[in-house]
Amino acid sequence: MSEPLLQLSGVHTHIGPYHILQGVDLTVPKGGVSVLLGRNGAGKSTTLRTIMGLWTASSGSITFQGRDITRMETPAISRSGIAFVPENMGIFTDLTVAENMTLAATKGPIDPKRLAWIQELFPPVRTFWNSSAGTLSGGQKQMLAVSRAIVESRVLILIDEPTKGLAPAIINAMTDALKELKETDTTILLVEQNFAMASSIGDTVAVMDDGRIIHDGDMAEMVADKELQERLMGLSLEAHQ
Amino acid sequence: MLTRLLSGDKPRSRVLTLLLLVIVISLAFAPFLFPGTKSLETAARICIFIALVASYDLLLGYAGIVSFAHTMFFGIGAYGTALAQSVTGPSFVSILWGTAAGAVVAAIFALAIGLFSLRVKAIFFAMVTLAVASAFAVLVSQMSWLTGGEDGLNYRIPRELTPAFKLIKAKVFDVRIDGKLLAYYLVFFASACLFLVMLRIVNSPFGRTLQAVRDNAFRAEAIGYRVVWYRTTATVLSAVIAALAGSLLAIWLRYTGPATTLSMEIMIDILLMVVIGGMGTLYGAVLGATIFILAQMYLQELMGVASNATSFIPFVSDLIAADRWLLWLGVLFILSVYFFPTGIVGRLRASRG
Amino acid sequence: MSEATIKPRIEKAPLGERMIEKLPVVLVPALAMLGLIAVGNPATWLTLTVAGLAMGLMIFIMASGLTVVFGLMDVINFGHGAFISVGAFVGFTVLIWLGGWTSSPSVFLNLSAVFMAILVAMLATALMGYAFERVIVMPVYGEHLKQILVTMGGLIVAQQLIYVFWGPDEMHVARPESLQGSFVLGEAAVEKYRLVAVGIGVVLFVAMRYVLKSTRIGLLVRAGVENGEMVEALGYRVRRLFLMVFMAGSALAGLGGVMWGLYQETITAHMGQEIMVLVFIVVIIGGLGSVEGCFIGALLVGLLSNYTAFLAPKVALVSTIGLMVIILMWRPQGLYPVVKAK
């Protein structure tokens, strides 16, 4: 793997009285898909939110493209090239699909060629272009959320459990789209609980538990090592299946 | 004994203890220490407002609920007693049933408003109470056949509580022992009782749960406390005590009108007293009410003097004119919310003087 | 992947549900009809209805800023009334300066004077809104209790400052010549100024809707009301957006203050605080954060106040409280509850 794009070292995050991240060290290399696994409450979503500046790290540092972004405000972090698809998708249900997309394009009007490509990846974004986003189904909302993140080219996309609660057919569609997205020069940091999906597109993998990273390495290595899977799966995926 | 009387809730600061002692002793012997009508009026007002402000603190400081209807309850109590006196004539029985009726009506109103609007956010309750209290004030001033309208009600109270009644012929320390003196001690002891009852409430398991609800409603709900029930109960208790304080005012003044009980100005005064004294500690109400009313009675004169002295500087003299003292209290209020949310009491306790 | 794997699902609520969704809109004409039955005389009814609409629209102007500010940042400004009062005093001062214009028989000069008064008042209250937001509101974001207290403190200070600048007395200004008197429609007399107020109110509502529905700023505001965090994650500074909305809301309150002042021809430092009672009722009825709800709530309150003021003058304010109670029993979050993410 190449140079690190994003690096977290010793990140601690407190939410109110709770100490959620307890020294997270995580390196996301440039290019490809990095997967963050872990059971519910391990701190995966908090890690993404801390990177985005939606929670502020109480100690430790986060560097992105060599720049310290630990204390930067969310809008500045976003404009430095990081897009975020939160767990709840963050769709503006009061707005139409088109308006959701327009707001996501911060650099000017949406590039028609790019839009055509996105609509190819996620046909509902075309079908329901002028519908209120509130009327979309869960899977369609998820597609819109990812589309919004890639409406302009981004350096890094943080995606929080894009397959959560979706039907298998839609999970496959989402996986295909992310695979295609991987071919562009965008890096993806994916939080997942679905190991089948994660292993099919992940290049590297890190496993979290109790607010710390307890394993990290290549995905291929983890897929091959049944014993490691057993040990980590038992820990990380017991909540799932 | 004293600790038990205070329900184990001690002032926890030497300066604060001293201040409270000075206030209590001054109020207890006010007729003898500060002779004169104006000082007795001031002392009685302070007693009544200590009870009233403490009852508001029960809601604001201990339950974390902002209400703008506290003067409504205060007024209901005052009008209850006032109407009883005017309808059935002056007697202790009519004082009793008037006071009781005021308290019951206040409780019913508080229960209704509480059940209706405490489910939602603090903001919602604040807005609803503001609207209801304003409408109530307008209604009272318009139902002049019953309430005397803007002019309010003048009525007689039992003769034993008026200056015309002489308990003993002789003067004690040059002070006449008359009905007015009895009325003052009625106000003093009743306010003191109300205050001690409130201390008991906030230090009971109920009071502690109330504070837990204030600090983390979500968590309290999760543990299994019925948050709405606790908040509504606090609202009702606070309303009843406010109504009782209103009855005391009605007895003391022998007059009840919108301006002395229901007006938004008094509501704002109460707010200022609680915050400046210290939210979430009943002793704050004692300090807040005392300081505020003394300032209201005496500081204005001082500012008038200062304003006249600076009358050659046009704008400055306007700023410190006697009528503008609320301006400076407003500024002080904002600053205390930012910098000393626990008010004077919090400061004193922090410095452990 | 193909279209076949993802079936387009058109989620349209059943007809009955959609009808109920639209029901609040019907409330206004329904109330007007009830008013007609209760009042009896159509001419009187017309006069009252125009007065009610004028009052409702003025309240809407003052309330709209408050409700959007709440929706966007969860901030309720109990000091909003201060902008109403200050707007009225600044506007009246301008009208006094332009005395020559207001007393002239020329309609153009009259309207120019009113326009200037409104402009200066809105400018002044917008600047005041800026100061208020930075000094009073900003330090207490996210803390409702402190917010209520501090903004109330701001109201006290602002009212006292009005006394310092304009003296303790109320202020009288007569409406410009051409805005005095009434039109006679059949048997009904309709005050000219009320029609002007209705006109300004309607134009403003249409403009506001346009801004919210069709401009980028409007989209951001609506998105921010629903999920401010996501708007930030898309790269927009919600705080700056909020400041702009706060200033706009303050300017609207100032506009409302001038209009209300011209309606009454007498203003006091407390007028804002008094009107705020109606504003709060309207905002609660409409659903905190909803502009449409605020509009309908304002019209309902305006109409109801005028009908009851005619039928039973003593219970006018109490009747609006009754309306609020009924609406909240029907919809506990108001007519148009605002969907909040999180």
Side-chain angles (χ1 to χ4, degrees):
Chain A
M1 281 291 162
S2 51
E3 68 198 87
L5 177 70
L6 177 80
Q7 188 146 29
L8 283 74
S9 33
V11 170
H12 288 256
T13 301
H14 290 82
I15 303 174
Y18 308 107
H19 190 176
I20 309 285
L21 298 191
Q22 310 187 353
V24 171
D25 299 295
L26 177 68
T27 305
V28 176
K30 195 166 164 46
V33 176
S34 298
V35 178
L36 191 54
L37 292 171
R39 63 185 169 84
N40 280 331
K44 308 182 300 292
S45 296
T46 307
T47 304
L48 293 195
R49 289 177 59 87
T50 306
I51 297 170
M52 260 340 262
L54 292 168
W55 299 124
T56 309
S58 37
S59 62
S61 74
I62 305 170
T63 30
F64 176 61
Q65 293 185 309
R67 225 165 113 208
D68 184 14
I69 60 165
T70 321
R71 303 260 171 267
M72 267 164 66
E73 290 194 354
T74 304
I77 293 171
S78 164
R79 285 183 183 258
S80 71
I82 306 181
F84 179 43
V85 181
E87 204 176 356
N88 63 9
M89 302 178 279
I91 297 297
F92 306 124
T93 55
D94 194 31
L95 274 54
T96 64
V97 170
E99 287 167 341
N100 267 279
M101 293 292 280
T102 311
L103 280 190
T106 50
K107 293 172 189 147
I110 306 174
D111 172 20
K113 258 162 63 192
R114 197 170 172 95
L115 182 62
W117 171 65
I118 291 171
Q119 291 180 331
E120 203 60 37
L121 285 177
F122 301 114
V125 173
R126 177 183 295 134
T127 319
F128 298 109
W129 186 245
N130 285 315
S131 310
S132 160
T135 60
L136 298 182
S137 70
Q140 291 161 348
K141 277 188 185 137
Q142 193 59 262
M143 292 180 191
L144 174 58
V146 176
S147 304
R148 224 168 40 172
I150 58 174
V151 67
E152 284 165 347
S153 74
R154 308 275 184 225
V155 185
L156 172 67
I157 302 180
L158 315 175
I159 308 180
D160 201 344
E161 291 202 49
T163 61
K164 192 178 163 191
L166 298 189
I170 302 186
I171 294 182
N172 289 338
M174 183 64 74
T175 313
D176 290 343
L178 291 182
K179 275 180 184 156
E180 190 168 335
L181 188 59
K182 199 178 147 180
E183 300 310 313
T184 67
D185 55 359
T186 304
T187 307
I188 299 174
L189 174 56
L190 179 70
V191 162
E192 250 313 333
Q193 295 215 15
N194 180 338
F195 185 65
M197 190 266 194
S199 59
S200 75
I201 59 169
D203 298 309
T204 66
V205 59
V207 183
M208 279 192 90
D209 196 42
D210 282 338
R212 286 189 193 82
I213 303 286
I214 52 166
H215 167 87
D216 69 314
D218 284 347
M219 182 60 94
E221 186 189 315
M222 186 159 167
V223 171
D225 190 342
K226 287 275 179 252
E227 193 209 333
L228 182 68
Q229 270 182 47
E230 194 84 346
R231 185 160 62 81
L232 294 173
M233 292 308 110
L235 193 65
S236 68
L237 297 178
E238 63 195 7
H240 200 263
Q241 268 127 36
Chain B
M1 161 66 191
L2 190 65
T3 315
R4 260 192 64 193
L5 205 59
L6 297 181
S7 311
D9 188 353
K10 292 185 210 156
R12 298 209 309 275
S13 150
R14 228 174 302 152
V15 180
L16 179 60
T17 313
L18 202 67
L19 278 173
L20 289 172
L21 273 177
V22 169
I23 292 172
V24 171
I25 291 172
S26 308
L27 289 175
F29 301 105
F32 305 99
L33 291 172
F34 318 102
T37 322
K38 186 177 178 185
S39 41
L40 198 62
E41 288 297 328
T42 309
R45 220 181 147 68
I46 290 175
C47 291
I48 294 168
F49 269 79
I50 285 175
L52 178 63
V53 171
S55 70
Y56 189 66
D57 193 31
L58 196 63
L59 206 56
L60 179 65
Y62 286 88
I65 300 168
V66 187
S67 158
F68 288 103
H70 212 60
T71 45
M72 178 171 88
F73 301 126
F74 186 54
I76 288 175
Y79 274 98
T81 307
L83 285 171
Q85 303 302 302
S86 5
V87 174
T88 62
S91 77
F92 284 101
V93 177
S94 69
I95 285 185
L96 273 183
W97 74 255
T99 304
V104 168
V105 173
I108 293 171
F109 267 57
L111 187 67
I113 299 178
L115 287 180
F116 188 66
S117 51
L118 274 175
R119 288 161 204 286
V120 212
K121 297 178 174 182
I123 273 182
F124 198 78
F125 186 73
M127 290 164 72
V128 168
T129 50
L130 184 78
V132 170
S134 308
F136 186 80
V138 171
L139 195 66
V140 165
S141 64
Q142 281 178 342
M143 297 194 347
S144 33
W145 53 272
L146 182 68
T147 61
E150 290 289 345
D151 297 332
L153 295 168
N154 281 295
Y155 42 85
R156 290 185 305 135
I157 56 171
R159 189 170 169 276
E160 290 77 6
L161 296 175
T162 62
F165 174 75
K166 301 277 180 288
L167 191 64
I168 45 176
K169 283 262 159 52
K171 287 188 174 181
V172 179
F173 299 113
D174 218 23
V175 175
R176 266 204 300 268
I177 308 300
D178 59 10
K180 195 70 184 166
L181 194 78
L182 287 184
Y184 176 75
Y185 279 105
L186 173 70
V187 167
F188 174 80
F189 282 110
S191 302
C193 278
L194 288 178
F195 186 82
L196 293 176
V197 166
M198 280 186 273
L199 264 186
R200 173 97 349 143
I201 293 173
V202 298
N203 288 294
S204 68
F206 169 79
R208 272 185 278 278
T209 312
L210 204 56
Q211 292 167 64
V213 169
R214 170 197 65 191
D215 295 336
N216 195 338
F218 189 70
R219 189 150 171 269
E221 186 97 60
I223 297 172
Y225 289 114
R226 279 172 304 157
V227 168
V228 178
W229 186 85
Y230 275 93
R231 287 184 173 156
T232 307
T233 310
T235 310
V236 172
L237 280 174
S238 144
V240 167
I241 296 171
L244 295 176
S247 299
L248 289 178
L249 186 80
I251 295 168
W252 176 253
L253 289 182
R254 285 180 281 163
Y255 162 80
T256 295
T260 55
T261 53
L262 292 171
S263 75
M264 199 63 201
E265 277 74 32
I266 295 184
M267 189 62 240
I268 287 173
D269 288 352
I270 297 175
L271 212 55
L272 291 169
M273 291 183 224
V274 169
V275 170
I276 291 171
M279 282 185 273
T281 144
L282 290 180
Y283 295 115
V286 179
L287 290 188
T290 310
I291 294 171
F292 187 93
I293 290 170
L294 285 179
Q296 198 171 33
M297 294 292 193
Y298 300 102
L299 183 70
Q300 289 194 54
E301 288 176 19
L302 207 70
M303 283 178 70
V305 174
S307 173
N308 287 336
T310 53
S311 55
F312 52 92
I313 323 172
F315 190 66
V316 172
S317 84
D318 280 345
L319 276 179
I320 57 172
D323 294 341
R324 293 295 78 76
W325 76 298
L326 204 54
L327 171 68
W328 299 105
L329 272 177
V331 173
L332 181 64
F333 174 81
I334 294 172
L335 292 178
S336 23
V337 176
Y338 286 159
F339 300 112
F340 336 104
T342 48
I344 300 175
V345 169
R347 281 272 108 175
L348 289 176
R349 281 180 177 172
S351 65
R352 285 264 155 197
Chain C
M1 81 191 160
S2 66
E3 287 274 0
T5 51
I6 307 138
K7 289 192 208 91
R9 250 174 68 206
I10 299 174
E11 287 190 0
K12 273 255 164 94
L15 186 71
E17 225 168 89
R18 270 186 294 152
M19 290 286 284
I20 289 173
E21 197 58 38
K22 296 276 176 242
L23 204 57
V25 184
V26 188
L27 284 179
V28 178
L31 181 65
M33 281 304 117
L34 269 178
L36 179 59
I37 296 165
V39 173
N41 179 349
T44 315
W45 174 79
L46 184 62
T47 308
L48 290 173
T49 303
V50 172
L53 291 177
M55 178 176 163
L57 285 163
M58 282 191 274
I59 296 173
F60 166 70
I61 291 170
M62 296 185 262
S64 54
L66 189 78
T67 202
V68 177
V69 158
F70 177 82
L72 200 53
M73 290 293 274
D74 217 14
V75 164
I76 201 89
N77 180 8
F78 274 77
H80 196 69
F83 301 115
I84 299 174
S85 301
V86 168
F89 274 87
V90 171
F92 270 34
T93 308
V94 172
L95 284 178
I96 291 174
W97 286 341
L98 298 177
W101 291 13
T102 56
S103 56
S104 131
S106 150
V107 177
F108 175 74
L109 278 183
N110 285 176
L111 292 181
S112 305
V114 171
F115 180 75
M116 283 302 292
I118 286 175
L119 197 70
V120 177
M122 289 180 78
L123 227 76
T125 44
L127 286 177
M128 187 180 149
Y130 178 84
F132 207 89
E133 202 274 345
R134 294 283 107 163
V135 178
I136 307 234
V137 181
M138 200 170 65
V140 288
Y141 273 137
E143 297 173 86
H144 278 168
L145 193 97
K146 285 190 175 182
Q147 239 170 49
I148 298 172
L149 297 178
V150 163
T151 53
M152 205 70 200
L155 175 71
I156 299 171
V157 172
Q159 275 176 359
Q160 293 294 318
L161 285 176
I162 290 179
Y163 288 135
V164 171
F165 284 107
W166 280 282
D169 301 322
E170 45 185 43
M171 212 168 160
H172 301 272
V173 163
R175 280 198 286 271
E177 287 294 317
S178 53
L179 293 179
Q180 289 176 1
S182 321
F183 294 114
V184 179
L185 295 172
E187 287 171 48
V190 175
E191 275 187 56
K192 286 183 196 166
Y193 180 70
R194 287 181 174 158
L195 284 181
V196 173
V198 170
I200 296 178
V202 168
V203 167
L204 214 77
F205 177 66
V206 171
M208 206 180 289
R209 264 185 79 93
Y210 172 78
V211 169
L212 283 175
K213 298 265 178 214
S214 313
T215 67
R216 198 178 183 82
I217 295 267
L219 289 186
L220 277 175
V221 170
R222 281 163 58 209
V225 166
E226 185 174 345
N227 189 343
E229 214 167 55
M230 197 59 216
V231 172
E232 294 237 298
L234 290 179
Y236 301 96
R237 287 164 58 192
V238 171
R239 282 284 169 93
R240 213 177 57 186
L241 181 70
F242 174 72
L243 179 60
M244 283 167 52
V245 171
F246 197 93
M247 289 173 68
S250 309
L252 285 174
L255 165 65
V258 180
M259 289 174 67
W260 192 273
L262 278 174
Y263 179 56
Q264 307 281 354
E265 298 193 312
T266 299
I267 56 174
T268 66
H270 283 100
M271 65 181 275
Q273 198 184 327
E274 284 150 25
I275 300 170
M276 278 311 281
V277 174
L278 290 176
V279 167
F280 280 144
I281 294 175
V282 161
V283 169
I284 292 173
I285 288 179
L288 284 164
S290 157
V291 174
E292 278 89 356
C294 176
F295 182 69
I296 291 174
L299 293 182
L300 290 177
V301 164
L303 288 174
L304 184 67
S305 299
N306 277 277
Y307 296 144
T308 45
F310 173 76
L311 295 166
K314 294 192 173 171
V315 295
L317 188 52
V318 178
S319 72
T320 56
I321 301 263
L323 177 70
M324 176 178 84
V325 171
I326 293 169
I327 300 246
L328 288 183
M329 295 218 279
W330 176 38
R331 291 194 171 178
Q333 307 271 2
L335 290 176
Y336 290 101
V338 169
V339 205
K340 276 264 175 197
K342 282 171 271 183

